[in-house]
Amino acid sequence: MRKRDTVLVLPVLLAAVLLVGWSCTRLPWSSDSPSDVGSDKGLIAEAPSKIKTDAAPSKFIGFPPGAKYVGSESCVECHEEEVHVFHKTKMGRIMSVNPRTERERQDCESCHGPGGPHVDAGGEAVETLITYRKGAEPVEVQNATCVNGCHEKGEHTYFMGSTHEARGLACVSCHKVMAPVSDRYNLAKPTEIEVCSQCHLTRRAQLMRSSHMPLRENKMTCSDCHNPHGGVTSAMLREDSVNENCYACHAEKRGPYLWEHAPVIENCTNCHEPHGSSNPRLLRQRIPRLCQECHIETRHPTSPYNPAVYARQIFNRACVNCHQTIHGSNHPSGFAFTN
């Protein structure tokens, strides 16, 4: 009986719920009520429409013929706060206190171009200036202002044609000239690793691994190994090869050795992942698997090591338990890199 009563009551309850819901839609304060159509009477306030206040940057049309330089004093009249902050930066102090060239004496206009048309238009005609806003000017125009005549020697010699330049990277993508954000180099972020990590996300993830280069500890920076402005080597390395780059710090691995280990002489990255690894000592794989990539037919069996039989090959430092001078040996009997 109880089951039959339940079956009879459920349809009645469902109909009551539907009736109440329909009645609510007919109430005068409902936003869906027909009485509200075309009127502003309602108890529910509508959220104001979001208005985009940031106008699109004006497109650079080039410097007008005969455009005149008006001096930084004209800029200060409107941009006093920006100029005050700029003169706290390294570049700002050079231009305002100790300009070394005629171009540096132009101060603001040395980078933004002649401000005559902008001043004559009462602050308009922004399209006649280089503003360094994203999308306002071609990247080539922005970079040419920095490179030609100023940053074209030393470490910046190979920027034109470098990997970063070829991929359309602007100088202002990494540097912020108008405000002192970093301690050195006018970077757009407080540290180098933060600047580089904006694009190189894989390297950033590698640096978070247990075995990593000490960048997180601020003991070195990305530019210790790489020249971000370009070079004649692969991966924009500072030295002529990967090994020479590593020897700058790991001089004890340079040699020469009486017995040389071929993969070590060829390239350090044959065994090591320089940015970070989940294995000890930045190894690409754990030993003995790393060694077995080459040593598969000599000295030791090619089958997987059995802890019960070949314990010495997997215990502690594995292969390095015996072959300790793995980078090279000067001992007359050190052909197998043993002690």
Side-chain angles (χ1 to χ4, degrees):
M1 280 301 283
R2 291 182 180 179
K3 185 175 180 180
R4 187 183 62 181
D5 293 342
T6 303
V7 173
L8 294 175
V9 170
L10 283 177
V12 177
L13 291 175
L14 180 60
V17 170
L18 293 175
L19 180 61
V20 171
W22 178 82
S23 300
C24 291
T25 61
R26 311 301 295 177
L27 294 176
W29 57 77
S30 172
S31 59
D32 295 333
S33 174
S35 61
D36 290 340
V37 178
S39 69
D40 56 357
K41 296 179 182 180
L43 301 180
I44 302 177
E46 294 183 0
S49 59
K50 185 176 181 181
I51 301 175
K52 187 176 182 180
T53 56
D54 296 333
S58 302
K59 294 293 183 180
F60 179 65
I61 61 174
F63 304 129
K68 297 181 179 180
Y69 290 90
V70 294
S72 59
E73 295 79 9
S74 300
C75 306
V76 176
E77 294 181 6
C78 298
H79 306 284
E80 181 178 0
E81 182 178 353
E82 289 82 354
V83 173
H84 178 70
V85 174
F86 170 64
H87 285 165
K88 292 182 179 180
T89 66
K90 181 178 181 180
M91 185 177 293
R93 289 194 297 269
I94 291 174
M95 290 185 173
S96 61
V97 179
N98 187 30
R100 299 162 296 183
T101 62
E102 184 61 33
R103 185 170 182 179
E104 288 181 357
R105 293 188 183 93
Q106 294 174 343
D107 207 351
C108 305
E109 293 173 304
S110 64
C111 297
H112 295 285
H118 179 56
V119 173
D120 294 339
E124 299 296 331
V126 181
E127 64 276 3
T128 62
L129 297 173
I130 301 177
T131 62
Y132 296 94
R133 294 181 180 179
K134 187 175 182 180
E137 307 92 23
V139 173
E140 295 77 12
V141 174
Q142 295 181 355
N143 290 350
T145 306
C146 302
V147 174
N148 296 337
C150 293
H151 305 284
E152 59 182 355
K153 299 178 181 179
E155 291 195 350
H156 307 90
T157 302
Y158 298 103
F159 178 75
M160 303 305 291
S162 67
T163 303
H164 283 162
E165 190 270 338
R167 295 188 177 184
L169 196 68
C171 300
V172 292
S173 300
C174 301
H175 299 278
K176 188 171 185 179
V177 179
M178 294 301 297
V181 178
S182 64
D183 295 334
R184 303 179 66 187
Y185 309 126
N186 284 339
L187 298 177
K189 300 286 183 180
T191 61
E192 279 190 33
I193 186 174
E194 292 180 75
V195 173
C196 301
S197 296
Q198 295 179 102
C199 299
H200 303 284
L201 301 179
T202 302
R203 302 308 181 196
R204 179 182 181 179
Q206 289 175 331
L207 291 172
M208 297 297 139
R209 294 174 179 173
S210 57
S211 178
H212 59 272
M213 284 290 183
L215 278 82
R216 286 161 33 193
E217 293 78 10
N218 294 323
K219 294 183 178 180
M220 65 179 297
T221 62
C222 303
S223 59
D224 289 339
C225 298
H226 303 276
N227 182 356
H229 299 101
V232 296
T233 59
S234 61
M236 296 189 288
L237 296 176
R238 289 197 173 275
E239 304 297 337
D240 294 334
S241 65
V242 173
N243 282 21
E244 289 296 325
N245 231 42
C246 299
Y247 294 153
C249 295
H250 305 282
E252 74 282 2
K253 303 297 191 293
R254 179 187 292 272
Y257 295 110
L258 179 62
W259 302 99
E260 294 180 340
H261 195 181
V264 175
I265 300 302
E266 180 184 88
N267 197 319
C268 298
T269 57
N270 285 335
C271 300
H272 298 280
E273 171 50 61
H275 295 92
S277 172
S278 299
N279 304 311
R281 300 179 295 280
L282 295 173
L283 294 177
R284 292 192 299 104
Q285 293 191 60
R286 285 189 176 273
I287 300 175
R289 291 190 178 275
L290 179 65
C291 302
Q292 287 183 319
E293 289 184 346
C294 298
H295 302 282
I296 56 176
E297 295 295 341
T298 62
R299 301 294 180 183
H300 298 295
T302 59
S303 59
Y305 289 139
N306 183 352
V309 180
Y310 302 105
R312 65 184 183 276
Q313 281 94 355
I314 63 171
F315 174 74
N316 196 18
R317 299 178 68 190
C319 303
V320 189
N321 288 334
C322 300
H323 308 281
Q324 295 184 7
T325 57
I326 200 66
H327 291 92
S329 176
N330 284 319
H331 194 280
S333 299
F335 72 96
F337 309 112
T338 56
N339 266 357

